[in-house]
Amino acid sequence: PNEGVGSRIMLTSQRENVALFTIGIKSHVCYLNGLARNDAWNLFCKKAFQQFSGGRPKGLEVLTRELAEKCRGLPLALIALAGVMSSKRFEREWRMTCNSLSSELSGTDEPLLKTMTNILWLGFSDLPYPLKRCFLYCCLFSEDYWIIPERELGSGLQRDLLER
C-alpha cells in the first residue's frame, strides 16, 4: 500500500501469529474484545425473546444469563444461540441446552474457537431434518456460485427442499 495516498490492507484473523506476520509493510494490530457482560445479555435477550409479547419471561432469567455468559461476548455466538433458544418454550428445554453446552465447552485449548463451533453446531443440529439436508446440499457449492435450480436440482426432492 502507498501510505501517501491513504491506501490500506486490512486482514482479519482469529490467530495472533497471522495478524503479526508482516511482509515489509508497516502494520498495526487491533485486538477486538467481546461485548461487555450487560450488552451481551441484552443482545441475547433481544434475539431470544423477540416473539414474546410480554418481554423476557421471569423464570428464565438465570438460565438466560448463564447461556449469554457461555458465548463469551462474541456477537455471532450470542445471536446464533439466542436464535436456537427462541424456539424453546419450556424451562426444561433451556436447562437441557445449557447443560449440553457446559459439557461440550469444558477442557479446550482454544476456548473461543471451540465456543463458536459448539454454538453453531447446536444451531445446525436443532434444524428439522429436511432443512439440514437442504443446508448440506447448498454447502456443496462455493461461496460465490450461482445456484440455478433447474440445472442443479435434478430430482423433485431436492427442489422441494430448497422451496422450504
Side-chain angles (χ1 to χ4, degrees):
N2 181 351
E3 289 189 49
V5 295
S7 62
R8 302 285 183 266
I9 295 175
M10 182 180 288
L11 173 73
T12 61
S13 176
Q14 293 181 349
R15 300 191 178 273
E16 186 176 19
N17 62 340
V18 172
L20 294 172
F21 182 77
T22 64
I23 52 172
I25 301 172
K26 183 174 108 179
S27 64
H28 172 74
V29 177
C30 179
Y31 297 93
L32 300 178
N33 298 318
L35 296 174
R37 180 176 283 166
N38 199 41
D39 292 336
W41 186 67
N42 285 330
L43 176 61
F44 185 89
C45 289
K46 182 178 179 180
K47 177 72 174 173
F49 303 122
Q50 64 188 355
Q51 73 275 8
F52 283 80
S53 57
R56 302 173 186 151
K58 297 292 183 209
L60 296 176
E61 184 169 337
V62 172
L63 285 171
T64 302
R65 288 195 182 273
E66 194 173 331
L67 285 167
E69 285 287 318
K70 290 181 186 306
C71 296
R72 302 178 184 194
L74 300 171
L76 177 59
L78 288 158
I79 290 170
L81 182 56
V84 169
M85 301 313 293
S86 69
S87 67
K88 304 198 181 312
R89 298 281 177 228
F90 303 105
E91 183 178 348
R92 174 180 45 84
E93 295 174 303
W94 280 67
R95 189 167 309 287
M96 284 174 47
T97 302
C98 190
N99 291 340
S100 172
L101 278 177
S102 293
S103 64
E104 290 181 29
L105 295 177
S106 63
T108 178
D109 54 344
E110 292 193 48
L112 292 179
L113 183 59
K114 182 76 170 167
T115 298
M116 283 300 302
T117 302
N118 284 313
I119 289 172
L120 292 175
W121 174 252
L122 177 66
F124 173 78
S125 63
D126 204 48
L127 289 173
Y129 183 71
L131 289 179
K132 284 182 190 176
R133 288 183 57 191
C134 182
F135 183 80
L136 291 172
Y137 180 76
C138 290
C139 289
L140 294 173
F141 301 99
S142 63
E143 182 179 342
D144 296 325
Y145 187 85
W146 283 74
I147 300 173
I148 302 169
E150 292 77 29
R151 187 181 76 207
E152 305 299 343
L153 302 175
S155 74
L157 172 63
Q158 290 170 329
R159 193 173 302 111
D160 289 345
L161 288 173
L162 279 181
E163 289 173 1
R164 292 180 191 186

